[in-house]
Amino acid sequence: MDAYQVFRDFYYSLGMPLRVVIEYRLRRRGVSLSDVFSKPWLLTKYVAEEMGGHNAELIAALFVEYVRKLGVDASVAWEALRGEEGWARFVSHVERL
């Protein structure tokens, strides 16, 4: 299983209205969606800065629920969108599944 593909699948599983708002806010910052797909941990950082920490927590919680269905440990998933080190642990975990 490819962790980056899992993230892309998660992102596209979000409702269209939420994705539109996120992508609009990203573009205002000069960030493309491909930037976020290459560095997924930046999604919650940008969402927190543009839309508030509560929305970033919501995105992180939705991600945890999404990947738990794939057999990913919730604690690993929770850290994945918090920073580069957490993402590296997530990638390693997903590769072992």
Side-chain angles (χ1 to χ4, degrees), residues 60-84:
L62 291 171
F63 179 73
V64 169
E65 287 304 311
Y66 183 85
V67 299
R68 279 183 54 200
K69 294 175 187 173
L70 301 174
V72 175
D73 181 85
S75 63
V76 173
W78 191 253
E79 292 301 316
L81 298 184
R82 304 237 180 262
E84 191 170 0

Side-chain angles (χ1 to χ4, degrees), residues 13-71:
S13 77
L14 297 174
M16 179 63 80
L18 179 56
R19 290 195 334 254
V20 167
V21 171
I22 289 170
E23 290 172 31
Y24 170 74
R25 297 293 181 112
L26 289 175
R27 279 195 305 272
R28 279 186 37 196
R29 289 181 79 71
V31 176
S32 72
L33 194 54
S34 63
D35 295 334
V36 172
F37 284 162
S38 67
K39 296 178 182 177
W41 63 90
L42 293 177
L43 177 63
T44 53
K45 174 186 181 293
Y46 292 141
V47 167
E49 290 172 358
E50 289 291 323
M51 300 165 60
H54 60 289
N55 286 313
E57 291 295 318
L58 172 64
I59 297 294
L62 291 171
F63 179 73
V64 169
E65 287 304 311
Y66 183 85
V67 299
R68 279 183 54 200
K69 294 175 187 173
L70 301 174

